[in-house]
């Protein structure tokens, strides 16, 4: 596609920066910036004192110009720190490199050096780049020689952009590329906002949690009896499962499968195992030492846009408060006078599948507000007057079946989840195929397209190259996950433009913050925007959303983590921070 004409210029830009006060979690302090106009070669090299005197970028940022960068959220963090308006037209070559290579082998990685290498272009040596970046992160003062060296280093990334843009531009889908650029701007705002935490509790955690591990194990293990000291005993756990009548997946050797994926899956089917799983995960994450928290008590980290194959964000599990064990999310607490709202699309994957496949039965089930009970009714398994209360067991089984289809489970895995014979699981899966025939025809078509055509794509152009040995389960799930990511990006862009403070995107949800007096109105607006975003992606089929509102001094809490949180609070002598429910 031909590159649009920009009379204000095509500006290639890079900043160097370090965190304020040298502390990760604080906003960036811009050290220098180099900008070059692509056509004329005009180059601007500005040190931090020059930048601080400016009220806007020293080049056009309106609709007449194009701003080109590699991983824009980092550069826009500097714009926000300087108080500069963000550019209107944004081309993030990181996002476009991911779009052009997603699923393909990228030998040198997805960074700038990797993108250059992929296109056969020279770059600065990785070792030299690392050394210079570390010197910047150390902070000043820098003498004149160092300042020139840092500016020269910054300019090498601009030179790299100057090489990379011609290599990539012919394959760019410009309207969609610029839309992804807008999401880079939204991501910068999100990373700058961060998530407010109860810093007092966090500091006590970090100082004392190692010392209470033994007591924590003892407190949680009272319900299980599977630990000996601090050691999880496989044979004791097997005895517990037998006594409770809980089937468990096994390895080919016959041994219990004890990885976290197995515990996560089985905890969904058997909620009494949730605290044990939380304990096992938590023992390796107790200090939260890698969680970056700024001087203002907010967790800030890269949300790592477009890092997953489905195009979803992929922040570090150790650096993002939603990454560690669910009970640790109790640290999330709005500041005085503020509230938080966790707004997530209702049954997003089911709704996307219904819309994209055009399955009318599935659409009707989604529109009912309870697609799991609707499925049971459509399959003739329960009477039309059945409710969640009167037919809870049947609903749970049909819900498990819907989720099994979404996750690509077979009958054996579904049987474990519902604690029923494999024959019953096969019956449920067969009912799904008979009830939602159009969906299954479409899903089979997705797999055929991936295998024969070599790629899949979303309605906004995010694509996956499938390679020689594609995974059937991943292929079937890609349209739901990837189009879910598209609607999240659209919603975040609109909410940013509307001035809503987004603290974090979390899979199919958005965590927002607002003053208490406007919180309800902001929540309602967020739900409207999310509904519109889903309708835009799904050709008019709108998805509803659910909300969980937290007003200071309340704290955010995931229901799965309540028992663990309260146990830890008790052991730390923080009874006033216990919660009654989630």
């Amino acid at each position: 596609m031909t590159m649009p004409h920009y009379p204000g210029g095509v500006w290639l830009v890079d900043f160097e920066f370090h965190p304020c006060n040298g502390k990760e979690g604080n906003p960036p302090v811009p050290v220098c910036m180099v900008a070059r106009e692509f056509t004329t070669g005009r180059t601007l090299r500005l040190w931090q004192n020059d930048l601080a005197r400016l009220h806007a970028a020293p080049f056009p940022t309106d609709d007449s110009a194009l701003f080109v960068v590699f991983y824009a959220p980092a550069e826009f963090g500097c714009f926000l720190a300087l108080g500069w308006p963000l550019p209107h037209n944004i081309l993030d070559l990181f996002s476009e490199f991911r779009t052009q290579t997603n699923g393909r082998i990228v030998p040198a990685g997805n960074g700038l050096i990797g993108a250059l290498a992929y296109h056969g272009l020279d770059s600065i040596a990785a070792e030299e780049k690392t050394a210079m970046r570390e010197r910047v992160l150390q902070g000043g003062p820098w003498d004149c020689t160092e300042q020139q060296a840092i500016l020269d280093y910054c300019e090498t990334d601009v030179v790299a952009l100057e090489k990379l843009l011609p290599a990539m531009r012919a394959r760019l889908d410009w309207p969609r590329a610029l839309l992804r650029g807008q999401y880079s701007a939204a991501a910068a705002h999100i990373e700058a906002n961060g998530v407010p935490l109860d810093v007092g509790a966090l500091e006590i955690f970090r100082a004392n949690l190692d010392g209470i591990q033994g007591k924590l194990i003892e407190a949680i293990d009272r319900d299980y009896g599977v630990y000996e000291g601090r050691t999880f005993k496989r044979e004791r756990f097997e005895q517990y499962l037998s006594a409770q009548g809980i089937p468990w997946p096994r390895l080919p050797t016959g041994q219990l499968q004890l990885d976290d994926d197995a515990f996560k899956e089985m905890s969904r089917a058997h909620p009494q195992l949730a605290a044990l799983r939380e304990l096992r995960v938590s023992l390796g994450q107790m200090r939260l030492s890698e969680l970056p928290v700024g001087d203002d008590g907010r967790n800030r980290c890269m949300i790592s846009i477009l890092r997953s194959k489905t195009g979803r964000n992929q922040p570090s599990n150790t650096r993002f408060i939603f990454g560690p064990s669910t009970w640790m999310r109790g640290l999330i607490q709005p500041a005085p006078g503020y509230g938080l709202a966790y707004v997530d699309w209702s049954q997003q994957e089911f709704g996307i599948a219904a819309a994209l496949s055009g399955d009318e039965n599935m659409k009707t089930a989604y529109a009912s507000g309870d697609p799991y009970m609707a499925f049971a009714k459509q399959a003739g398994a329960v009477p039309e007057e059945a409710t969640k209360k009167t037919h809870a067991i049947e609903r749970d089984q049909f819900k498990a079946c819907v989720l099994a289809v979404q996750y690509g489970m077979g009958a054996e895995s579904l049987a474990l989840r519902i604690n029923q014979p494999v024959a019953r699981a096969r019956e449920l899966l067969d009912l799904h195929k008979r009830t939602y025939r159009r969906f299954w025809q479409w899903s089979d078509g997705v797999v055929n397209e991936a295998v024969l055509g070599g790629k899949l794509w979303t309605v906004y152009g995010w694509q996956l190259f499938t390679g020689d040995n594609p995974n059937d389960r991943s292929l079937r799930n890609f349209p739901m996950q990837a189009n879910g990511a598209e609607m999240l990006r659209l919603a975040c862009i609109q909410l940013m433009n509307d001035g809503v403070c987004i603290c974090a995107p979390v899979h199919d949800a958005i965590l927002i913050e607002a003053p208490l007096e406007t919180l309800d109105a902001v929540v309602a607006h967020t739900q409207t925007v999310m509904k519109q975003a889903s309708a835009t992606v799904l050709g008019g089929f709108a998805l509803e959303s659910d909300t969980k509102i937290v007003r200071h001094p309340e704290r955010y809490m995931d229901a799965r983590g309540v028992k663990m949180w309260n146990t830890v609070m008790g052991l730390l002598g923080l009874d006033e921070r216990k919660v009654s429910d989630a």
Side-chain angles (χ1 to χ4, degrees), residues 481-499:
Q481 295 293 339
N483 284 291
E486 294 282 18
M487 65 179 67
L488 179 77
R489 289 193 284 273
L490 288 183
C492 287
I493 291 168
Q494 186 59 54
L495 290 170
M496 172 194 68
N497 291 336
D498 294 343

Side-chain angles (χ1 to χ4, degrees), residues 234-277:
R234 185 189 302 265
E235 60 274 14
R236 290 189 180 184
F237 185 53
E238 194 153 12
Q239 291 169 6
Y240 169 83
L241 294 173
S242 177
Q244 297 295 317
I246 299 175
W248 195 269
R250 293 181 180 270
L251 300 169
T253 61
Q255 295 288 330
L256 295 175
Q257 183 180 338
L258 296 178
D259 57 43
D260 188 55
D261 285 341
F263 265 91
K264 183 177 181 180
E265 186 58 42
M266 295 306 294
S267 294
R268 287 176 176 149
H270 304 279
Q272 69 265 37
L273 294 169
L276 181 60
R277 183 206 169 218

Side-chain angles (χ1 to χ4, degrees), residues 353-417:
L356 295 182
S357 68
D359 191 302
E360 293 301 326
N361 283 345
M362 192 172 271
K363 288 182 179 180
T364 299
Y366 183 85
S368 73
D370 186 348
Y372 313 125
M373 182 58 77
F375 170 30
K377 292 178 181 179
Q378 290 170 332
V382 298
E384 281 299 317
E385 64 272 15
T387 66
K388 183 176 180 179
K389 185 175 181 179
T390 62
H391 290 75
I393 294 175
E394 291 86 347
R395 181 185 180 276
D396 286 347
Q397 289 188 4
F398 277 79
K399 176 181 179 179
C401 178
V402 167
L403 297 177
V405 170
Q406 291 175 183
Y407 300 145
M409 286 183 185
E412 290 77 11
S413 297
L414 175 57
L416 284 171
R417 170 174 272 207

Side-chain angles (χ1 to χ4, degrees), residues 9-10 20 29 90 133 249 303 328 335 358 471 490:
V10 175
C20 184
V29 174
I90 304 158
R133 183 69 188 133
I303 63 171
M328 294 183 186
N471 178 281
L490 288 183

Side-chain angles (χ1 to χ4, degrees), residues 101 109 130 139 153 155 203 304 310 344 369 371 400 428 443 487:
T101 61
T130 299
Y153 161 63
E155 190 169 348
E203 290 175 350
S304 296
T310 61
D344 66 310
L428 288 168
S443 184
M487 65 179 67

Side-chain angles (χ1 to χ4, degrees), residues 4 7 16 31 73 95 134 217 246 256-257 345 487:
E16 297 304 323
V31 173
S95 297
E134 287 178 352
I217 292 171
I246 299 175
L256 295 175
Q257 183 180 338
W345 277 287
M487 65 179 67

